Amino acid sequence: MSTELDAASIARVSLHDPNCFSIQHSQTLHRLVLLQHWNITAGSRVLELGCGQGDCTTVLASAVGEQGSVVAVDPADLDYGTPYTLGQAQGHISQGPLGGRITWVQQPPLDYISSLRASESKAFDAAVLAHCLWYFASPSIILSTFRALKQHSQRLLLAEWSLMATHPSAQPHLLAALAQAARECRKPESASNVRTVLGPKRLTELAVAAGWQLESETRVQGGEGLLDGRWEVSACLSPSFEREVEEQVSDGRERAVILASRDACEASLEGVEGGRKGVRAMDVWVASFV
């Protein structure tokens, strides 16, 4: 079966608007590209942290087969998310053909890992964190998570935005992410998609400090149908972004830096055919540690 057919069949397992199936299909196809670099075999026991609504979970569940299993952990409330909440999306997947392979856990990742018994050392063949690392509150929590995983997983598999834009139309996505991170790091708490921005170099340093060794890494370009770049640019250029900066950042120079980052994102759209609608997602770093 071709990758395209796999993506279509797996994407239909997720809760989606039939009139906008191409959005879900693109997200699933992207996760299948990541999977090609991770070598997850049938029968594997996989721990996924930051599973969200299950975009990667379904791909992992398909890869491990009927004899494998996926424990999917996310700390968000089940009523979090749009257009469908986590509870709705996860519940829908559970009722489908892959549901029996997935165990959903609503808990902070570190709390879940801490709940595992010492006798369950290396209970998982792989721990996956795909497009969730920027949701973590700080680099120190990421480091603690990597350290905790070392006892319970054979491999650590990561995928995150690379802070590289091979395609010029992806440059606004990169600038939008940096602008949002500059704003969010000045908040005591954040609910943004971009909270702690770390590139491949810093994430690798954290993994090595936690006792992991880099086995392989690569960078892949997102497909044209991947709309994450467009979504983040829209968030950065929304009226609420500038309003929050004015209300929450008191230091004039700090405020100027954040707004300059936002303005750079807006200016970069001049080089994108179609403006916001032509924005592509930046490259993705995919890595495997042992």
Side-chain angles (χ1 to χ4, degrees):
M1 185 178 291
S2 70
T3 299
E4 281 288 344
L5 289 175
D6 281 343
S9 60
I10 297 171
R12 290 190 179 94
V13 173
S14 295
L15 185 59
H16 63 275
D17 182 348
N19 295 321
C20 301
F21 178 68
S22 61
I23 296 176
Q24 185 62 53
H25 180 264
S26 295
Q27 293 291 333
T28 302
L29 184 59
H30 173 60
R31 268 71 179 180
L32 282 169
V33 171
L34 304 181
L35 191 68
Q36 292 174 358
H37 298 282
W38 283 336
N39 191 30
I40 295 176
T41 58
S44 294
R45 300 158 299 169
V46 175
L47 171 63
E48 182 192 7
L49 301 183
C51 65
Q53 295 174 323
D55 286 336
C56 194
T57 314
T58 53
V59 171
L60 295 171
S62 179
V64 301
E66 294 181 358
Q67 302 304 314
S69 62
V70 178
V71 176
V73 181
D74 199 282
D77 292 336
L78 293 180
D79 60 359
Y80 172 84
T82 183
Y84 304 109
T85 67
L86 262 68
Q88 290 172 326
Q90 294 176 2
H92 182 83
I93 293 171
S94 292
Q95 295 172 14
L98 300 176
R101 309 173 191 179
I102 302 168
T103 300
W104 305 100
V105 178
Q106 184 194 6
Q107 196 172 10
L110 269 177
D111 289 353
Y112 173 76
I113 300 169
S114 299
S115 73
L116 299 174
R117 297 187 299 271
S119 60
E120 297 178 287
S121 178
K122 306 299 183 184
F124 296 100
D125 298 299
V128 173
L129 292 91
H131 290 297
C132 68
L133 289 158
W134 286 7
Y135 283 83
F136 280 70
S138 69
S140 63
I141 295 178
I142 295 176
L143 175 60
S144 297
T145 302
F146 287 172
R147 279 179 174 155
L149 286 171
K150 195 71 178 75
Q151 180 182 351
H152 297 286
S153 181
Q154 300 280 354
R155 302 166 66 215
L156 176 66
L157 308 177
L158 306 179
E160 194 51 89
W161 304 112
S162 69
L163 300 180
M164 286 282 293
T166 298
H167 198 287
S169 296
Q171 191 69 20
H173 182 200
L174 193 162
L175 294 171
L178 294 177
Q180 290 188 72
R183 177 193 62 180
E184 296 304 310
C185 73
R186 289 165 173 83
K187 294 181 179 179
E189 294 184 3
S190 172
S192 170
N193 292 347
V194 184
R195 306 175 193 183
T196 300
V197 167
L198 294 169
K201 179 180 178 179
R202 304 304 175 188
L203 288 170
T204 299
E205 288 176 351
L206 290 176
V208 171
W212 295 95
Q213 292 183 330
L214 180 64
E215 181 181 43
S216 65
E217 64 178 334
T218 191
R219 204 171 66 241
V220 300
Q221 290 190 55
E224 290 187 22
L226 207 60
L227 301 183
D228 299 67
R230 195 185 305 180
W231 295 331
E232 297 306 340
V233 168
S234 293
C236 178
L237 301 184
S238 67
S240 63
F241 181 94
E242 190 166 346
R243 184 171 61 250
E244 283 190 20
V245 173
E246 296 291 348
E247 292 174 351
Q248 300 178 11
V249 182
S250 58
D251 184 274
R253 289 192 302 171
E254 289 188 0
R255 190 163 59 241
V257 168
I258 300 171
L259 293 178
S261 298
R262 178 234 176 252
D263 294 346
C265 173
E266 185 174 39
S268 71
L269 290 174
E270 295 179 7
V272 177
E273 184 177 353
R276 290 193 197 185
K277 291 185 177 180
V279 171
R280 294 186 55 162
M282 72 175 98
D283 299 359
V284 177
W285 174 67
V286 191
S288 175
F289 294 83
V290 294

